[in-house]
Each structure stands twice: as C-alpha cells, then as structure tokens.
Amino acid sequence: MLHSDIQYTKLRWLLTIGGLFLYVVDIWTDIGLALKYFQEKHYVWTGLTLVFVLVGLLVTQIFSYAWYKDDMNDVLINSEGNPTLSGMSKDGLAVLHLFGMGIFTRYYHLLKKGFSVVWTSKNSYTVEEKTNVHQNLFCLATDLSMLKLFEAFLESVPQLLLQVYIVLGHNESSVMQYLSMALSFFNVAWALVDYRRCLRRSLPHIKEMPSGLPTVIYLLYKLCTITSHILSYSLLLILSTYSTIALTILWLLGTIWTHLLQTNFCSSRGLELLYRAVVGVILTFTFFNVKGQDTKVAMIVYYFFYSLINIMAPSLLVLLKPELQTATFLLTVSGMIFGGSVLGLVSLVLYYLLLHPRGKWREADEVDGLGKKAEITRRIRTFLQP
C-alpha cells in the first residue's frame, strides 16, 4: 500500500482546482480595481496596481518556460530525448507563455494527469509504479506551487500593501478594495501552505508536514509576521512616500545576501540573477531558508530587525505627526502590528521547538540544515526552504 505521505489524493486534486479559482479571481479583482482607479482619475494608483499584476505575471512566465526547457533537457525526465513535453513543443510552449498562459498550462497538465490517476485509474500499477506516478504528480505540483509563491510575493503582497496604504493614508475605501485585499490575503495564505506541503511531499525522504495543529501554527507564524510587516510599511509610507527608498534598500539587502550565498537554482546566469532579485522581494516581507543551510543565526538577526521596524513605524508616526496620536486608525493599526508581531513570533518559536516535522525521512531541516540531497531533480532540491 502506498504511504499516505506521497499519495496524490482526490482531495488534493480538488484543492488544485480551488487554487486555480483563487488565482484567477485575485487577478481579475485587481484588474477591476485598476479600472475603478482609472475612472476616478487616480492614475498613479492605477499604474501601480497594474504594474504589480504584470510583474507577477511576467516573472512567473519566464521561470515556467525556463523550467519546461530544463525538463526537456533533463535525462531523468526526458530520457528518450523527445522534442515535446506533455505533447507540446518548445515553440508551442513559448507561444503560450508569451500570452501569459504558462500557469494555466501547468494547471492543465497537473489536473489532466491527476484526473487519470485518482479518478480513472483501475489500480493497474505495481506498488513501485504507483509510487513513481504519485511522486511525479507532486513534482508537477511543486513546480506550480513555487510559481504561485513567486506570484504571491510579487503581486498579492505588494498589492495588499498598496491597498492598505490607500485605505489608511487617503481615507479612500470601497467594497472592491476590501475584496481585493481579502483575496490577496487568502492567495498568500494558500500559496504558503500549498508550497510547503507540495515541496515536502515531492521529496519522499523528507517527512511530510502534518495536518492539523502544526499547519495552523505555521500559517499563524507566517501570516501574522507578514501582515504586521505590511501594516508597518504602510505607516512608513503614510509618514512619507520617500519611505519607498527604505523599502528599496531592504530589497537590495535581501538580494545581496542571496547573492553572497551563491544560490544555484537556475540553469543560466541571467535567470539566476532574476531569481535572486525575486528572493530579495520575498525576504522584504518574510524569512525563508534560501539555500537549505543552518539558518538559526540568520533567522534571529532577521526577526530582530523585523521587530525593530514594527516598533519604529508607529512610533515615528506618533512623534512626527502628533495630530494623529488620537486617531482611531493609528491606535487600531498599532495594536494589530504589536499583536500580530507577538503572535507571529510566539507561533514561530512553538512551531520550530515542538511541532516541526522531524524524523529519519527528512533530507534537510529548514533551520538546522542537516541531511543529504535527494536524487530527484536539481531544481526541486534547490527550492526555497520554508
């Protein structure tokens, strides 16, 4: 019998459809919001809203197509050297990605293969064959979840920051804005949990992330720290739009640190530099183990400065804009920042001390960096570690 940790189930297939729906609705809501801003002659907000959508779309298309090309050249995946992959040539895939259909192409391939396995399979596989089939499905899901993670931090998180800044700083609010923020929030939550679970399941010698309490605590840790950071950044932007310079510096620091770690994720130098820039964006909002190494010290340093920013942002607003000291929104947002920071950090400590998956199956622990590399594909082995 196939171990449940590496079994692609009917529920997993249905959740993939749910992820696709959330992805589409999130993007179309942002486009609708951009049209609303344009009609109201808020051209800067219109431009920024669309830029975040386009950047997320463009970057995911670039990586998706590059990974398809890598898979065609990988003897473990394409041992016969076929000029097509999943029935599509390089030129056909290039056209689809040129029109922004890369994510949808991957969803189609995953759902099609998953359907044939979990809904129509007649149990004609041996145990070894079934393991390989389900392993392959999780590798496809992991590639897709990585792209969704990129999209979440290049589009949903900046979009959330922009809309929070507009609502708090300009007293502009509408149903469409709140809907956009809610969908962005849920898209980020989905991307974080889906990525972590898919990554661990695609590497069979890493113990699966348990369901229930560990997942809830991990999600609390990520969402609370990210949300409190977004609120702090929005207060700094309210204080002065020149705070974007500080955000740019933070991104540069994250990118430079990733560069110093000498990541080896991509097959080309140019793509590797783009990857490091994307990781820099992610590190602006939350911590990830970039190279699967011992990160205890790095994580402590990161969250020390995280706490410093979360304390500094509302304090500076009170000191430099005393007229806002009694403003209801400032008191509310400050409470959310401090409460979210404390809850997030407590969840982080609880998770890594008590609930973090451990055991002989793991390849490398996110914090202590132990273990040997898996013999699967280099790309999955070098993915960001949550």
Side-chain angles (χ1 to χ4, degrees):
M1 184 177 178
L2 191 64
H3 198 286
S4 61
D5 279 358
I6 55 174
Q7 186 171 5
Y8 195 91
T9 62
K10 293 179 180 179
L11 176 60
R12 176 74 232 181
W13 189 86
L14 293 172
L15 288 174
T16 301
I17 295 180
L20 173 60
F21 175 78
L22 186 60
Y23 171 73
V24 173
V25 173
D26 183 36
I27 290 179
W28 277 107
T29 302
D30 291 338
I31 293 175
L33 187 58
L35 290 175
K36 175 182 176 296
Y37 287 149
F38 184 79
Q39 291 172 349
E40 296 173 350
K41 298 183 178 180
H42 295 306
Y43 299 124
V44 174
W45 298 348
T46 301
L48 288 173
T49 301
L50 290 177
V51 163
F52 294 144
V53 173
L54 293 175
V55 168
L57 188 64
L58 177 62
V59 171
T60 53
Q61 302 310 305
I62 292 173
F63 279 107
S64 178
Y65 180 66
W67 296 350
Y68 271 127
K69 286 181 62 179
D70 289 344
D71 290 346
M72 285 185 177
N73 298 327
D74 192 329
V75 294
L76 295 177
I77 298 174
N78 188 18
S79 57
E80 298 179 0
N82 294 326
T84 62
L85 187 67
S86 300
M88 302 198 67
S89 66
K90 285 185 180 180
D91 291 339
L93 287 169
V95 171
L96 285 173
H97 285 79
L98 186 63
F99 286 95
M101 299 297 290
I103 295 287
F104 297 105
T105 302
R106 288 184 176 274
Y107 266 114
Y108 170 75
H109 289 154
L110 177 59
L111 290 171
K112 181 181 178 181
K113 291 182 180 181
F115 184 84
S116 66
V117 172
V118 302
W119 294 101
T120 62
S121 177
K122 302 299 182 181
N123 296 320
S124 58
Y125 299 113
T126 64
V127 174
E128 183 178 356
E129 289 173 338
K130 193 171 183 180
T131 299
N132 291 335
V133 168
H134 284 261
Q135 186 70 30
N136 180 56
L137 286 174
F138 272 112
C139 287
L140 294 176
T142 302
D143 280 351
L144 181 57
S145 68
M146 186 66 170
L147 292 171
K148 291 291 296 298
L149 188 74
F150 285 172
E151 188 270 341
F153 281 93
L154 292 173
E155 191 270 329
S156 296
V157 172
Q159 203 72 259
L160 193 56
L161 174 58
L162 175 62
Q163 304 313 323
V164 170
Y165 162 72
I166 293 172
V167 170
L168 296 180
H170 295 268
N171 199 26
E172 292 272 351
S173 61
S174 66
V175 174
M176 183 66 76
Q177 282 176 301
Y178 289 118
L179 182 61
S180 174
M181 288 190 289
L183 287 169
S184 294
F185 183 83
F186 283 118
N187 192 44
V188 172
W190 188 288
L192 287 167
V193 172
D194 186 60
Y195 167 64
R196 181 177 175 82
R197 296 184 71 87
C198 285
L199 177 63
R200 299 188 74 86
R201 289 190 179 189
S202 66
L203 301 173
H205 44 303
I206 296 181
K207 192 173 181 180
E208 155 66 335
M209 178 182 179
S211 301
L213 184 61
T215 301
V216 172
I217 296 299
Y218 175 79
L219 190 58
L220 271 177
Y221 146 53
K222 282 295 184 182
L223 290 183
C224 288
T225 52
I226 292 172
T227 302
S228 58
H229 230 28
I230 288 174
L231 291 173
S232 293
Y233 290 155
S234 67
L235 291 186
L236 291 175
L237 290 173
I238 291 171
L239 180 64
S240 173
T241 53
Y242 289 108
S243 297
T244 52
I245 297 175
L247 294 182
T248 303
I249 293 173
L250 290 175
W251 166 72
L252 283 173
L253 289 174
T255 303
I256 292 170
W257 183 62
T258 306
H259 183 77
L260 292 175
L261 290 175
Q262 291 298 300
T263 57
N264 188 30
F265 177 71
C266 301
S267 56
S268 68
R269 178 66 175 174
L271 208 59
E272 188 70 35
L273 293 176
L274 176 60
Y275 169 71
R276 292 171 183 175
V278 173
V279 173
V281 173
I282 295 175
L283 292 174
T284 305
F285 295 96
T286 190
F287 181 85
F288 273 90
N289 188 335
V290 176
K291 208 177 176 183
Q293 299 174 336
D294 186 340
T295 57
K296 288 181 180 178
V297 175
M299 183 178 282
I300 290 171
V301 172
Y302 180 92
Y303 281 109
F304 169 79
F305 284 103
Y306 154 87
S307 302
L308 193 63
I309 291 172
N310 286 0
I311 293 172
M312 181 180 67
S315 300
L316 284 177
L317 203 63
V318 169
L319 292 173
L320 300 180
K321 288 196 174 184
E323 67 274 12
L324 296 178
Q325 289 183 9
T326 58
T328 303
F329 93 87
L330 180 58
L331 297 175
T332 303
V333 171
S334 298
M336 292 176 67
I337 290 173
F338 294 136
S341 299
V342 172
L343 182 57
L345 293 176
V346 169
S347 298
L348 181 155
V349 173
L350 285 176
Y351 178 75
Y352 282 107
L353 283 182
L354 304 176
L355 303 172
H356 187 250
R358 302 182 188 279
K360 63 180 180 181
W361 286 17
R362 62 179 181 163
E363 174 191 40
D365 182 272
E366 283 93 353
V367 175
D368 59 27
L370 300 174
K372 298 180 180 180
K373 290 186 175 181
E375 294 297 329
I376 303 179
T377 64
R378 185 183 64 82
R379 182 169 68 245
I380 291 179
R381 291 200 311 266
T382 53
F383 272 178
L384 287 173
Q385 298 295 306

